[in-house]
Amino acid sequence: MVEWCLPQDIDLEGIEFKSMASGSHKIQSDFIYFRKGPFFGLACFANMPVESELERGARMKSVGVLSPSYTLLYRYMHFLENQVRHQLETPGHYSHLAAFYEDKKGVLHAGSGRGGSLPPVYWLPSIHRYMYPEMKFFGEQILVLWKFALLRKRILIFSPPPVGVVCYRVYCCCCLANVSLPGIGSTVPESKPFFYVNVADIESLEVEVSYVACTTEKIFEEKRELYDVYVDNQNVKTHHGHLQPLLKINGADREKYRRLNEQRQMLLYSQEVGDGYTPCEEDLFVLFFLEENNRIFQTLLEVSASQDKTLTAEHARGMGLDPQGDRSFLMDLLEAYGIDVMLVIDNPCCP
């Protein structure tokens, strides 16, 4: 139940299920990013044993904030962690929360504004400590997720609690699809982080054509109409036959992964020797994929502006793609982004 809120006239229906992940009773503390209508939320959860039959031996609470954008929510993490502990130890005292609201309150427009519409790259300072481990967690599979993210597929990540780190995996996937070339992406849906979702979100997910989200509820795996790509641990799978070829790691993917790791090693070395300003690992990761994406779309735009509009195996290699292994990815990409070129890469499977 919602115990207390400010302002009191805001629609919070279902928020209790978003701010406390299913299965949280098994853990001591967690944090959770979620989406509520046009807003984004961050809540901190804590679980304290109590000697009370009425509370069945445990007191569990979440304290959270809502904002039109997710990019600054991390700033309030420490406050929320302290407050949830305070609420557990001295329930019913809301003066700190009321003061916080008075200090920070903005107008939460209920319009359809593109919440967090800044590209995810601008959120970088907030998660320096967290994102690289999450990217490393996926290993080579990050290249498979990169292709699905660029194609704006519906990606659902399953994990048991704690769910906080999994919310960073959602964000990490959104960062894979950044493109900074003007005019690219106007034909595809925006890369939307939905963060944590549960069964109460099924209705809203049914109408989404593109999203990245995470859940702690295994039942989602059976609801195939809700997602295109399902990620369980490092296992990435899809039930769509035409997307199956994208699950296979090819030579160009391995080469990309090798380069990414090589750049990381060079970065770690320059940090050790204190060689002036050095970017952090997350900057390196985001910029690596941004450059890969720009290189692909720059080539596609040049070919579409040429007289014969012909995309060859040589072009594919120049974009860092495998002419055979990435053939179906390229075809999907051209269709998704409405780029008018003719693919003349022979398909070795066909006579």
Side-chain angles (χ1 to χ4, degrees), residues 48-62:
M48 183 176 84
V50 289
E51 289 182 20
S52 156
E53 253 180 65
L54 185 67
E55 294 179 272
R56 294 188 288 187
R59 184 177 296 157
M60 290 175 268
K61 289 181 190 268
S62 265

Side-chain angles (χ1 to χ4, degrees), residues 104-120:
K104 308 283 185 211
K105 70 178 174 189
V107 179
L108 288 181
H109 294 292
S112 61
R114 288 161 65 114
S117 59
L118 288 176

Side-chain angles (χ1 to χ4, degrees), residues 4 12 19 30 75 121 149 163 165 176 218 241 322 346 349:
W4 180 90
L12 295 178
S19 53
D30 200 1
R75 293 182 179 179
V121 72
V163 81
V165 291
L176 298 173
K218 199 77 175 156
D322 184 310
D346 294 330
C349 310

Side-chain angles (χ1 to χ4, degrees), residues 131-146 169 172 176 231 233-236 249 253-254 256-258 260-261 285 289:
M131 194 167 126
Y132 197 77
E134 295 320 313
M135 177 240 143
K136 241 174 6 186
F137 169 87
F138 287 123
E140 280 187 345
Q141 293 294 314
I142 198 82
L143 278 316
V144 174
L145 288 169
W146 164 63
R169 283 174 208 156
C172 174
L176 298 173
V231 185
N233 240 329
Q234 283 107 325
N235 183 20
V236 182
I249 300 278
D253 295 328
R254 288 194 186 91
K256 262 191 208 66
Y257 193 66
R258 187 194 63 73
L260 182 59
N261 279 322
F285 165 72
F289 283 100

Side-chain angles (χ1 to χ4, degrees), residues 4 83 86-87 92-101:
W4 180 90
Q83 283 306 303
H86 176 68
Q87 288 301 321
H93 293 266
Y94 309 117
S95 56
H96 292 308
L97 294 173
F100 173 86
Y101 173 71

Side-chain angles (χ1 to χ4, degrees), residues 61-346:
K61 289 181 190 268
S62 265
V63 177
V65 290
L66 283 178
S67 164
S69 159
Y70 59 80
T71 53
L72 300 179
L73 286 172
Y74 74 95
R75 293 182 179 179
Y76 310 125
M77 178 94 76
H78 189 59
F79 171 77
L80 295 173
E81 283 170 342
N82 286 338
Q83 283 306 303
V84 73
R85 187 54 50 195
H86 176 68
Q87 288 301 321
L88 287 174
E89 288 162 5
T90 54
H93 293 266
Y94 309 117
S95 56
H96 292 308
L97 294 173
F100 173 86
Y101 173 71
E102 286 306 319
D103 181 42
K104 308 283 185 211
K105 70 178 174 189
V107 179
L108 288 181
H109 294 292
S112 61
R114 288 161 65 114
S117 59
L118 288 176
V121 72
Y122 292 106
W123 199 32
L124 275 174
S126 64
I127 56 168
H128 280 341
R129 290 173 301 152
Y130 308 106
M131 194 167 126
Y132 197 77
E134 295 320 313
M135 177 240 143
K136 241 174 6 186
F137 169 87
F138 287 123
E140 280 187 345
Q141 293 294 314
I142 198 82
L143 278 316
V144 174
L145 288 169
W146 164 63
K147 292 173 194 178
F148 286 131
L150 262 188
L151 293 173
R152 296 293 195 270
K153 295 301 175 190
R154 298 170 300 167
I155 301 171
L156 185 62
I157 303 171
F158 167 79
S159 174
V163 81
V165 291
V166 196
C167 289
Y168 287 131
R169 283 174 208 156
V170 168
Y171 171 68
C172 174
C173 284
C174 287
C175 283
L176 298 173
N178 286 336
V179 181
S180 62
L181 299 179
I184 286 292
S186 55
T187 60
V188 291
E190 63 173 317
S191 186
K192 276 190 195 171
F194 266 55
F195 300 111
Y196 176 73
V197 295
N198 61 21
V199 288
D201 296 300
I202 286 175
E203 218 171 278
S204 60
L205 287 179
E206 280 173 341
V207 298
E208 290 297 332
V209 291
S210 170
Y211 68 80
V212 187
C214 61
T215 189
T216 56
E217 300 188 30
K218 199 77 175 156
I219 190 155
F220 269 97
E221 189 172 5
E222 298 162 25
K223 299 193 174 295
R224 292 176 159 197
E225 70 282 2
L226 295 179
Y227 62 84
D228 302 309
V229 181
Y230 188 84
V231 185
D232 185 348
N233 240 329
Q234 283 107 325
N235 183 20
V236 182
K237 54 189 181 182
T238 176
H239 51 275
H240 295 303
H242 71 284
L243 295 178
Q244 295 292 336
L246 276 70
L247 295 174
K248 200 169 181 218
I249 300 278
N250 59 48
D253 295 328
R254 288 194 186 91
E255 173 59 20
K256 262 191 208 66
Y257 193 66
R258 187 194 63 73
R259 278 195 298 115
L260 182 59
N261 279 322
E262 200 174 74
Q263 286 186 22
R264 180 176 173 259
Q265 291 307 321
M266 286 165 66
L267 174 70
L268 294 178
Y269 173 73
S270 61
Q271 283 173 342
E272 267 176 40
V273 295
D275 187 15
Y277 167 75
T278 51
C280 68
E281 287 179 293
E282 286 70 33
D283 290 342
L284 175 117
F285 165 72
V286 169
L287 291 172
F288 178 87
F289 283 100
L290 178 68
E291 283 167 9
E292 291 297 317
N293 298 342
N294 283 351
R295 177 161 59 134
I296 288 172
F297 285 109
Q298 188 64 51
T299 305
L300 293 178
L301 290 176
E302 283 168 10
V303 172
S304 72
S306 69
Q307 214 165 357
D308 63 359
K309 298 182 185 297
T310 302
L311 191 72
T312 64
E314 204 50 49
H315 284 127
R317 280 189 281 271
M319 293 187 283
L321 298 175
D322 184 310
Q324 304 300 347
D326 283 321
R327 191 174 187 276
S328 77
F329 167 60
L330 257 174
M331 289 173 74
D332 287 348
L333 200 68
L334 295 174
E335 189 183 344
Y337 287 80
I339 297 172
D340 178 25
V341 304
M342 193 168 69
L343 199 57
V344 290
I345 299 169
D346 294 330

